[in-house]
Amino acid sequence: MKSFPMLRIRFLFDIAFPALVMCLTAILTYSAVVSDTGYRTLSGLQSKAETETKRLDALSDRRKALEKRANLLNSKSLDPDLLDERIRNVLGYSREGDVVIPRRELDRLLDEPPY
């Protein structure tokens, strides 16, 4: 009858303990891949971060352009040509014989190299 406690200890070391370790390993592996804090979530967050970074860059560029335009409209450094352009654009006024060149077209022409 002394072999019965020995069988329990042997059962624990040979079968129960390895089975428990395998179950824990499976649970931890599943959690590492699929859970809310797992690998799939990480890759999704990384792609979302890239998208938001691009959006932030676009908004920063837009803000810089608006700040530059606002500085041109500042009362201390008011550009009369810009003021005249904005008034005519907003109100839709132009005199007879005026040649109207849109700002984008002017910028494009200025950026082209001379012939």
Side-chain angles (χ1 to χ4, degrees), residues 22-34:
M22 287 174 53
C23 287
L24 287 174
T25 303
I27 290 170
L28 291 175
T29 303
Y30 178 80
S31 295
V33 174
V34 180

Side-chain angles (χ1 to χ4, degrees), residues 4-61:
F4 185 69
M6 189 63 155
L7 286 175
R8 279 187 174 176
I9 293 173
R10 188 166 185 96
F11 171 77
L12 289 175
F13 283 117
D14 289 345
I15 297 173
F17 185 68
L20 181 63
V21 169
M22 287 174 53
C23 287
L24 287 174
T25 303
I27 290 170
L28 291 175
T29 303
Y30 178 80
S31 295
V33 174
V34 180
S35 72
D36 291 341
T37 58
Y39 181 73
R40 286 185 185 173
T41 305
L42 175 64
S43 57
L45 288 174
Q46 286 174 338
S47 65
K48 185 176 179 180
E50 289 175 15
T51 304
E52 293 299 321
T53 301
K54 290 177 185 175
R55 183 171 172 242
L56 177 64
D57 292 340
L59 288 173
S60 296
D61 292 342

